[in-house]
Amino acid sequence: MKHWFLSLCCLALWPSISAADSFRLAAAANLQAVTQALSQDFSQKTGHQFQTSFGASGKLFAQISHGAPFDVLMSADLKYPQTLLNQGAAIAPLVHYANGVLVLWTQQASIPKDWQAWLQSSAVQKIAIAQPESAPYGREALRILSALPQFPVLKSKLVYGESIAQASQFIATGAAQAGFSAKSIVSNPDQRQSGAWIEIPQSAHQTIAQGAVQTRYGKDNAAAKAFMRYLHSPSAQQILLRYGYLVPQP
């Protein structure tokens, strides 16, 4: 028997439910706050429920590629779901459910208007970002930083979290004086974070288009199919907006 050692933060919802009415969701770390709201609304509307495991999108993708028993992947990009489709490890359609918003966050009282120079200054010793190789938010943060003339100095200040959640923890605890996080984390309506943050303009980086796909493992799971349809619903879109995401235009 294969044993899956997932280095993920796992949230089990309704563990006593029957398999016929449930599915297993692998969700990008930026979704930790919104997933609980989605799960409650989805359950009320359909009677279906699910269990969620969180992690960096790239690590979840690798687990599913190697046969991990997840029924749905909600990634922080479109690349990983599309690759699963190309591999035959998922079934169409790919649902573009949201666009993420990248923010610069600090526990200090404010962020200067010239934040690029501020990051270079002695006031900031460490800058946290998610691991670019496996976390789409980290990929975009590095893209922004590497385009700055200050990057040779900033590069030596970078510290990497395994996921956007871990990078955000570095910022929240002050282990890093600044860093790049997700708006869904800093503006969580259920638990707003301390410190100061600013949105990085969408024009400054590639769109963080987030996609979901039903896996080949879960192809016959009725609850998973219902969830994929639910992600397009006005109710789900309103929840995503409330938690700091942008809803893609049809």
Side-chain angles (χ1 to χ4, degrees):
M1 178 183 294
K2 291 184 178 179
H3 296 274
W4 297 101
F5 296 93
L6 306 180
S7 57
L8 308 172
C9 173
C10 296
L11 173 65
L13 304 176
W14 306 287
S16 63
I17 56 180
S18 66
D21 297 323
S22 67
F23 70 93
R24 294 189 62 190
L25 171 66
N30 71 89
L31 295 163
Q32 288 190 32
V34 72
T35 300
Q36 188 162 359
L38 289 172
S39 71
Q40 292 172 352
D41 187 61
F42 175 68
S43 180
Q44 289 173 358
K45 287 180 168 54
T46 67
H48 297 307
Q49 300 166 347
F50 57 85
Q51 297 176 329
T52 310
S53 294
F54 297 103
S57 296
K59 294 200 170 186
L60 295 171
F61 160 79
Q63 294 287 343
I64 293 170
S65 294
H66 288 89
F70 291 111
D71 301 292
V72 174
L73 170 67
M74 288 183 75
S75 180
D77 67 0
L78 301 181
K79 182 186 78 171
Y80 290 124
Q82 184 61 56
T83 303
L84 288 178
L85 285 171
N86 296 344
Q87 292 176 346
I91 58 175
L94 191 165
V95 175
H96 178 189
Y97 63 88
N99 291 334
V101 178
L102 191 67
V103 301
L104 177 63
W105 182 25
T106 181
Q107 289 303 304
Q108 298 181 22
S110 63
I111 297 176
K113 185 175 181 179
D114 187 358
W115 57 266
Q116 298 92 335
W118 173 68
L119 289 179
Q120 187 179 16
S121 74
S122 60
V124 177
Q125 297 297 313
K126 298 293 182 183
I127 303 168
I129 67 172
Q131 188 62 248
E133 288 79 10
S134 58
Y137 281 80
R139 189 188 310 150
E140 290 310 309
L142 185 60
R143 191 192 309 275
I144 290 167
L145 291 172
S146 61
L148 299 176
Q150 299 94 336
F151 185 63
V153 174
L154 301 180
K155 185 177 181 180
S156 64
K157 298 185 178 188
L158 294 179
V159 292
Y160 299 94
E162 184 177 90
S163 66
I164 192 67
Q166 188 177 59
S168 297
Q169 186 177 23
F170 293 161
I171 306 164
T173 60
Q177 290 73 42
F180 289 84
S181 184
K183 186 178 180 181
S184 58
I185 292 175
V186 300
S187 67
N188 175 1
D190 302 321
Q191 186 179 3
R192 293 192 182 276
Q193 300 294 334
S194 59
W197 57 270
I198 58 171
E199 288 187 28
I200 303 300
Q202 295 285 312
S203 59
H205 61 86
Q206 293 187 8
T207 300
I208 305 176
Q210 303 194 194
V213 73
Q214 190 172 353
T215 68
R216 178 65 60 183
Y217 173 87
K219 64 183 177 65
D220 297 321
N221 188 302
K225 291 179 181 178
F227 184 74
M228 295 297 291
R229 293 192 297 270
Y230 166 77
L231 287 175
H232 276 311
S233 70
S235 178
Q237 292 176 351
Q238 284 301 313
I239 291 171
L240 288 162
L241 284 169
R242 192 167 78 245
Y243 279 79
Y245 295 92
L246 300 176
V247 173
Q249 297 302 312

